[in-house]
Amino acid sequence: MIDGWYAPPLSGDDARPWSVDQLSDYLATGFQQDHGAAAGPMAETTLNLRQASPSDIEAIAVYTASLSDGNEQKMTPIDNQNIEVSPSTHSLWVGACANCHEQETGVGPSNALPLSISAALRQSSSANAVRTIVDGIASYRDDGGPYMPAFGDILTNEEIVKLSQYLRRRYSDEGQWSGLEDEISKARSSADGKE
Ligand code: HEC
């Protein structure tokens, strides 16, 4: 854990497989179209890497890609569309999230990926999904980089719990997260106090 975010071991199942080109792109810009946006401390890291030379970034990418099996460079989409969901949670999803996240192909103007290939929703820890929902993704790029609004002030804890459980069931084949309430409280206090 770093600043409340979960940094998955790059050789383990919680990290996605990356190619050298994908990593170079991601490290240099903070965004890669098959993998999504850097968030939390990783966003700061990619911002700082703007000062690194392309050959240094390439070298980091070559090493990092060697830590995982680089053959499979995309997540296999998971979308259990037909699971049961309460009408209130479904309307939250449709009203607040689906516009950006449900398109089947490519990325919309805000650079959101379909959550069917989300790594955060498949990870053993709910930390990254919860923090992304509470804090959003700040667009620090001047060319209209990835952007997601912060929902911490808009949604209640209960709504975030229900939404997270729905997305976990719909977009992963993993068991339900425990301790979501705690994770939301932690995300709220670090968002306020910037720990
Ligand atoms: C204005 C567009 C927009 C809206 C609305 C939006 N998001 Fe996002 N979201 C993004 C972008 C951009 C990213 C970063 C790129 C990516 O990974 O898709 C992101 C990332 C995420 C991630 C992390 C994905 C990963 O694996 O890294 C989750 C989870 C998520 N959003 C959930 C939600 C939920 C839940 C809602 C509704 C409450 C929502 N989003 C609304 C744009 C949006």
Side-chain angles (χ1 to χ4, degrees), residues 126-169:
S126 63
N128 294 350
V130 165
R131 270 163 190 75
T132 306
I133 296 171
V134 170
D135 292 352
I137 305 249
S139 190
Y140 51 81
R141 288 166 36 167
D142 22 31
D143 57 353
Y147 170 74
M148 170 166 154
F151 287 94
D153 291 338
I154 300 172
L155 302 178
T156 64
N157 283 13
E158 200 193 342
E159 286 170 331
I160 298 176
V161 167
K162 295 218 166 118
L163 204 45
S164 306
Q165 288 174 335
Y166 168 57
L167 298 180
R168 175 77 163 174
R169 268 187 296 126

Side-chain angles (χ1 to χ4, degrees), residues 36-37 96-97 100-101 110-113 118-120 132 137 147-148 151 167:
C97 326
C100 286
H101 279 298
S110 76
N111 281 343
L113 270 55
S118 161
T132 306
I137 305 249
Y147 170 74
M148 170 166 154
F151 287 94
L167 298 180

Side-chain angles (χ1 to χ4, degrees), residues 6-19 22-23 26 31-38 64-77 101 107 112-123 171:
Y6 171 58
L10 293 176
S11 52
D13 286 346
D14 273 350
R16 296 175 170 197
W18 293 80
S19 71
Q22 288 172 335
L23 272 165
Y26 174 77
F31 181 77
Q32 204 286 326
Q33 61 176 12
D34 299 314
H35 292 262
T64 310
S66 76
L67 300 176
S68 67
D69 170 8
N71 294 327
E72 183 82 31
Q73 287 149 18
K74 281 190 181 180
M75 302 285 265
T76 309
H101 279 298
V107 294
L113 270 55
L115 291 183
S116 56
I117 58 164
S118 161
L121 293 175
R122 298 183 198 188
Q123 284 167 351
Y171 293 116

